[in-house]
């Protein structure tokens, strides 16, 4: 967890001055490929991919990828195809937004409790410049902490620039833990 936090911070520091895709075909020098976008952001993206697929499918897919392409040149879509074959999931959206697009989501998250509906609304606004960066599809976990130590866990997906996630709550929650697994970049 500490290594992920260090990778996360290192990438975000570099992202203040430049934002480029992890996968680039045109670059000024070979040395420019050894940056925090390829390594630290890449590590964070792989952690999100592992969370999205689950450990079993992720590691089976990595094994398949390594064995199929042993001693061969590869491209990022070879990894995608191996993971899709094992998981049965379409991952083109994930690879397009995280490997082929620059930047990362910038989120504004607000919570509104509706006592009449006994519901808490979590309003998520993606604030990144969507003329050069995608509107991200973000599968994640939200933990709702109710009174008496009760916690309900919800697997959700943010898909729009402005999304509202709704959770039942008889009273105002003590805490809403957005991205409870702490995998989102």
């Amino acid at each position: 967890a500490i290594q992920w936090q260090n990778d996360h911070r290192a990438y975000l520091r570099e992202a203040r001055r430049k934002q480029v895709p992890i996968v680039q075909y045109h670059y000024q020098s070979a040395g420019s490929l050894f940056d925090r976008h390829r390594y630290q952001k890449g590590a964070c993206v792989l952690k999100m991919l592992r969370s999205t697929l689950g450990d079993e499918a992720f590691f089976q897919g990595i094994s398949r990828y390594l064995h199929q392409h042993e001693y061969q040149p590869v491209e990022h879509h070879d990894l995608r195809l191996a993971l899709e074959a094992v998981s049965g999931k379409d991952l083109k959206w994930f690879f397009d937004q995280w490997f082929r697009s620059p930047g990362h989501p910038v989120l504004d998250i607000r919570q509104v409790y509706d006592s009449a509906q006994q519901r808490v609304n979590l309003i998520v606004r993606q604030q990144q410049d969507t003329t050069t960066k995608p509107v991200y599809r973000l599968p994640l976990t939200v933990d709702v902490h109710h009174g008496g130590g009760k916690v309900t866990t919800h697997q959700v997906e943010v898909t729009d620039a402005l999304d509202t996630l709704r959770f039942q709550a008889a009273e105002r929650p003590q805490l809403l833990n957005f991205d409870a697994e702490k995998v989102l970049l």
Side-chain angles (χ1 to χ4, degrees):
I2 291 172
Q3 183 60 51
W4 178 83
Q5 290 173 350
N6 290 338
D7 288 342
H8 189 240
R9 277 191 223 109
Y11 160 71
L12 290 176
R13 274 194 306 274
E14 184 176 86
R16 289 182 198 141
R17 67 181 190 286
K18 83 174 191 182
Q19 292 190 10
V20 295
I22 291 175
V23 174
Q24 282 187 278
Y25 296 104
H26 305 288
Y27 45 90
Q28 293 190 353
S29 70
S32 68
L33 292 176
F34 299 98
D35 64 7
R36 292 183 174 141
H37 281 68
R38 296 336 169 264
Y39 288 91
Q40 283 82 5
K41 180 181 181 182
C44 292
V45 168
L46 288 176
K47 182 174 179 167
M48 287 187 294
L49 184 57
R50 178 179 171 185
S51 176
T52 298
L53 292 175
D55 283 351
E56 186 177 341
F58 179 78
F59 288 115
Q60 282 181 0
I62 294 293
S63 178
R64 179 183 180 117
Y65 168 75
L66 292 173
H67 288 98
Q68 274 186 334
H69 302 287
E70 191 172 18
Y71 306 112
Q72 298 176 30
V74 293
E75 299 224 3
H76 70 285
H77 67 268
D78 295 315
L79 174 61
R80 178 180 60 84
L81 293 173
L83 292 167
E84 286 178 343
V86 167
S87 69
K89 294 182 179 179
D90 175 15
L91 296 172
K92 185 175 182 326
W93 65 271
F94 187 95
F95 278 72
D96 285 349
Q97 76 184 19
W98 290 110
F99 288 94
R100 299 177 52 85
S101 299
H104 53 273
V106 177
L107 304 177
D108 177 56
I109 304 164
R110 302 195 190 264
Q111 136 183 351
V112 177
Y113 182 68
D114 182 345
S115 58
Q117 298 286 324
Q118 293 190 324
R119 177 172 73 194
V120 63
N121 296 319
L122 202 56
I123 302 162
V124 182
R125 182 183 308 273
Q126 295 192 38
Q127 296 182 309
Q128 68 275 7
D129 177 2
T130 57
T131 60
T132 58
K133 296 162 191 73
V135 170
Y136 287 85
R137 178 177 167 184
L138 306 170
L140 54 102
T141 303
V142 175
D143 282 348
V144 181
H145 294 254
H146 307 274
K150 182 181 175 199
V151 178
T152 55
T153 299
H154 304 272
Q155 300 298 321
V156 298
E157 192 168 89
V158 173
T159 57
D160 296 315
L162 178 62
D163 230 331
T164 301
L165 307 172
R166 295 172 177 84
F167 309 103
Q168 290 304 122
E171 57 188 39
R172 182 182 300 276
Q174 294 176 339
L175 172 72
L176 281 173
N177 188 356
F178 185 82
D179 186 27
E181 295 175 350
K182 302 302 177 229
V183 295
L184 190 58
L185 179 63

